[in-house]
Amino acid sequence: MLNLIISDFYKLFKRKSFYICALIAIALSAINVFTLSFQMGMQYGIPDLDLKLLGYNAFFVVSGGAASVGLVSSIFSSLFISGEFSAGVVRTVILRGVNRFYFYFSKLIAVLSVPIIYTILSCGTAFAAGCYLWGMGDPDKSTIISIAKSLGMFLMIQIAIHSLYVMVSFLVRSTGAAVASNLAIVLPVVSGMLIWLIDYILLKWFNVQCNVGDYWVGNHTLIFQSMHFAKDFVIRMSIVSASYLVLSSLIGSFTFWKRDIK
Amino acid sequence: MENILETEELTKNYSGKNVINKINLTVPKGAVYGLIGKNGSGKTTTIRMISELASPTSGKIKFFEDSYRGKRRSKISAVIEYPSFYPFMSAFENMESQRILLGIKDKSVSNVLLNELGLGDAGNKKVKNFSLGMKQRLAIAVALLGEPDFLFLDEPINGLDPSGIKEMRQLILSLNQEKGVTIMISSHILGELTKIATYYGIIREGELIDQFSAEELKTRVKSCVKIKVNDVSRAINSIAENLGLNDYRLDGNEITVYDEGAESGIINSELAKSDVIVESISSEVGDYEDYFIRLMGGGF
């Protein structure tokens, strides 16, 4: 299993698309900070307003750096998994007697590292851009704890949703279909239609008032924007994220185990 | 003789139809086993089941006379259908990813194998820029990592030019004879297969209809002399007593002589001396391809 994981990380870091996606995440993160600076200036009616005078510093935008991570890493994750099938390399590995469950979980671990790496890079870039614009500042302990909490929650949700991407990519197996399914179906369709439909059915047929969206991780991908979380929200999201991770991993690995490899 | 692979009643069912039906394959250790069959006869499905890419509907697979998931499972390798690589990585990097996966500590093994397969100079070239022949050789280099005892090659000479086919044949022979690797090859190119295979299995419509050694094939497909005569019994006496030819078959007034060294001119002359009228006489060379095609049930 360890050899399999090391081999997957070797392949991950050899992929040009990994670095291209990382560069995109970094660039978007920097653009976000500069755009924020400009927008705030416009908001105050002073285009060249120095936000430093309002108390802004680099720590204010650390979490904001994560804004583009979800999208970019979802694209890369879909490419990474489906590439194994479209290139046919999955056969080369499995026919050497590698356990299919090990294969799945090794890929999962490699993919889950992607949003973590991209978040570190993006937040680091945002922090550097903030330093350039407003200086590092002198944040108090509670601000740093809030940032850490915000990023921790963000990563937890990203891990949950990436485990879904891995499952979908293992199910559809082709590169284009995996990217399309993850970008166009998993988030928009579930967030926009399915949840609303379930809420409606529960109310109409069972007279149960429920907000299913609270239990859909896709609705919380912008969680980094918040700095303060209620305790029950943190507990609920932890349980929900863990459930997504476990369930999607079980379904994905089981179907991979059962299906033939072409 | 120890068998490296045995299958018992191996069956694969798709949508209620048995595409592979109760196959009992036996591959002896050290053999080059040629799996022969028409397109769609079930060769690749059989190899895919044996190599765990597809699960059998029923039946058993044994390696090294041991259970299927024996410890030596990693000593089995394969190149199935077409060579598969990460196109964005170089040949060396593809080798390395597999070397790491197999837990091989010796870092020089990738370069050694690339050199052995004639890809030493192309090691740093991206695989997407490789020709089919180079990809085939790289696929075998990857398959040889971990020093497998048993290697499946599915259509290994498809798409290769004549020199590539010759190189592949020499490579297969050297792997088998020098490294002792047992090899199972599925191929359409029967002429090539008969140059290297020591055992054969014939698959027709999902069933293994025959299995035999190369020696047995030679006895089945012999050169012969076919003679049509007016007096069969006098003709047989003559060639048996005067020429010592005893391996023959009768079919009406036609005698087919299979003895090695039987020559139509000498037989004709001898029959003439015995006052036997020869209506026709011809020498026929034993044709493996014709024999296989007959077994497979017609052309491809």
Side-chain angles (χ1 to χ4, degrees):
Chain A
M1 178 75 179
L2 183 63
N3 292 330
L4 200 55
I5 294 169
I6 296 169
S7 172
D8 274 330
F9 274 99
Y10 178 83
K11 286 180 274 190
L12 183 84
F13 292 123
K14 285 288 175 189
R15 270 187 175 266
K16 204 189 276 180
S17 54
F18 175 78
Y19 298 99
I20 292 170
C21 288
L23 281 174
I24 292 169
I26 287 168
L28 289 174
S29 173
I31 289 167
N32 273 346
V33 175
F34 283 99
T35 307
L36 174 75
S37 178
F38 178 72
Q39 277 178 340
M40 291 299 281
M42 295 296 283
Q43 196 177 319
Y44 284 93
I46 310 164
D48 56 351
L49 173 69
D50 186 356
L51 293 181
K52 197 174 174 182
L53 298 174
L54 298 174
Y56 264 68
N57 59 57
F59 285 94
F60 274 82
V61 286
V62 169
S63 305
S68 52
V69 166
L71 176 73
V72 177
S73 68
S74 72
I75 295 171
F76 177 75
S77 305
S78 308
L79 290 174
F80 183 68
I81 302 289
S82 55
E84 294 281 326
F85 291 96
S86 53
V89 191
V90 60
R91 292 181 307 186
T92 316
V93 178
I94 296 298
L95 59 80
R96 296 304 285 252
V98 170
N99 184 302
R100 289 198 192 194
F101 286 106
Y102 288 177
F103 182 90
Y104 186 93
F105 285 103
S106 171
K107 287 277 174 288
L108 181 68
I109 289 166
V111 163
L112 295 187
S113 73
V114 175
I116 297 171
I117 295 168
Y118 285 2
T119 301
I120 292 167
L121 290 172
S122 298
C123 293
T125 303
F127 184 72
C131 284
Y132 172 76
L133 287 172
W134 316 301
M136 193 165 82
D138 186 21
D140 54 18
K141 197 180 167 186
S142 66
T143 306
I144 292 174
I145 290 171
S146 295
I147 291 169
K149 264 189 189 172
S150 171
L151 286 178
M153 291 286 284
F154 172 74
L155 284 176
M156 189 174 72
I157 286 164
Q158 284 303 321
I159 284 170
I161 205 151
H162 275 71
S163 68
L164 272 182
Y165 293 149
V166 171
M167 181 191 79
V168 171
S169 302
F170 265 91
L171 288 174
V172 296
R173 297 184 174 190
S174 95
T175 307
V179 175
S181 304
N182 284 330
L183 287 183
I185 298 173
V186 172
L187 282 183
V189 173
V190 177
S191 301
M193 291 166 60
L194 203 61
I195 286 171
W196 175 85
L197 190 68
I198 295 169
D199 278 351
Y200 177 79
I201 289 169
L202 285 174
L203 186 64
K204 187 87 177 168
W205 293 352
F206 303 100
N207 202 25
V208 174
Q209 182 88 38
C210 180
N211 190 2
V212 177
D214 286 348
Y215 303 94
W216 166 236
V217 282
N219 281 359
H220 301 282
T221 51
L222 298 178
I223 203 164
F224 57 84
Q225 289 175 338
S226 174
M227 298 286 266
H228 304 286
F229 305 103
K231 194 180 174 186
D232 60 342
F233 175 77
V234 174
I235 293 168
R236 188 179 72 222
M237 285 321 294
S238 302
I239 294 169
V240 166
S241 298
S243 306
Y244 274 80
L245 178 63
V246 171
L247 278 176
S248 59
S249 301
L250 287 177
I251 295 167
S253 59
F254 181 74
T255 51
F256 179 59
W257 174 63
K258 286 297 284 179
R259 285 172 69 190
D260 291 349
I261 296 168
K262 294 250 166 21
Chain B
M1 185 186 282
E2 187 189 349
N3 291 323
I4 211 157
L5 166 70
E6 286 173 48
T7 68
E8 283 176 28
E9 309 273 292
L10 194 64
T11 301
K12 180 73 179 175
N13 186 295
Y14 285 122
S15 311
K17 191 189 169 197
N18 279 353
V19 290
I20 297 294
N21 194 16
K22 296 180 178 176
I23 280 187
N24 295 307
L25 269 174
T26 306
V27 180
K29 191 177 178 187
V32 176
Y33 189 102
L35 192 61
I36 299 170
K38 283 189 202 177
N39 276 337
S41 60
K43 302 186 297 291
T44 301
T45 306
T46 305
I47 291 184
R48 277 158 38 80
M49 279 194 288
I50 293 168
S51 49
E52 287 192 19
L53 297 179
S55 52
T57 306
S58 63
K60 282 183 186 169
I61 301 166
K62 274 188 191 175
F63 282 113
F64 310 101
E65 300 186 336
D66 200 349
S67 62
Y68 186 33
R69 292 200 176 268
K71 284 181 183 173
R72 293 167 77 186
R73 179 65 186 80
S74 63
K75 287 287 184 184
I76 295 152
S77 192
V79 181
I80 296 177
E81 288 179 294
Y82 52 88
S84 307
F85 306 103
Y86 299 100
F88 56 88
M89 283 175 18
S90 69
F92 177 76
E93 288 166 347
N94 269 285
M95 294 285 289
E96 280 295 280
S97 73
Q98 191 78 350
R99 180 189 67 78
I100 296 166
L101 173 86
L102 294 170
I104 301 166
K105 298 275 185 270
D106 182 5
K107 288 184 178 176
S108 66
V109 71
S110 298
N111 274 327
V112 169
L113 280 170
L114 284 173
N115 283 326
E116 276 183 21
L117 272 292
L119 292 169
D121 295 335
N124 292 322
K125 197 175 168 182
K126 292 258 192 297
V127 171
K128 63 184 174 188
N129 299 321
F130 272 28
S131 67
L132 180 60
M134 291 166 85
K135 282 181 182 172
Q136 288 279 26
R137 276 185 282 161
L138 178 58
I140 293 180
V142 171
L144 290 177
L145 279 165
E147 298 178 337
D149 293 327
F150 188 27
L151 185 62
F152 298 107
L153 299 173
D154 190 15
E155 307 285 0
I157 51 179
N158 262 9
L160 295 184
D161 58 22
S163 66
I165 290 173
K166 190 179 174 188
E167 280 176 23
M168 187 59 72
R169 187 200 316 144
Q170 285 165 346
L171 173 67
I172 290 167
L173 285 173
S174 79
L175 285 174
N176 178 250
Q177 290 164 5
E178 291 165 26
K179 296 196 173 181
V181 181
T182 306
I183 299 170
M184 185 180 209
I185 305 172
S186 84
S187 179
H188 281 125
I189 305 170
L190 302 172
E192 273 305 315
L193 206 55
T194 51
K195 290 177 185 168
I196 50 178
T198 54
Y199 276 84
Y200 299 92
I202 314 288
I203 289 191
R204 187 165 74 192
E205 292 171 2
E207 294 189 7
L208 187 74
I209 56 164
D210 207 350
Q211 231 176 169
F212 46 85
S213 68
E215 283 75 33
E216 202 180 334
L217 178 68
K218 278 181 193 167
T219 64
R220 292 186 189 191
V221 187
K222 280 180 169 180
S223 297
C224 61
V225 177
K226 288 189 173 179
I227 318 149
K228 274 190 181 172
V229 291
N230 66 333
D231 187 339
V232 173
S233 57
R234 192 190 292 180
I236 286 169
N237 280 338
S238 171
I239 60 173
E241 284 175 16
N242 302 326
L243 298 176
L245 303 176
N246 297 306
D247 186 5
Y248 56 82
R249 198 179 66 200
L250 290 177
D251 183 13
N253 66 338
E254 186 178 80
I255 308 165
T256 307
V257 182
Y258 292 101
D259 287 88
E260 272 185 45
E263 285 184 32
S264 56
I266 295 169
I267 294 172
N268 195 19
S269 161
E270 187 57 41
L271 291 175
K273 282 181 201 168
S274 309
D275 295 329
V276 175
I277 296 170
V278 177
E279 293 169 5
S280 69
I281 183 163
S282 61
S283 295
E284 291 190 7
V285 178
D287 191 325
Y288 293 140
E289 282 192 12
D290 280 349
Y291 180 72
F292 285 134
I293 290 168
R294 255 198 336 269
L295 280 178
M296 288 186 293
F300 287 94

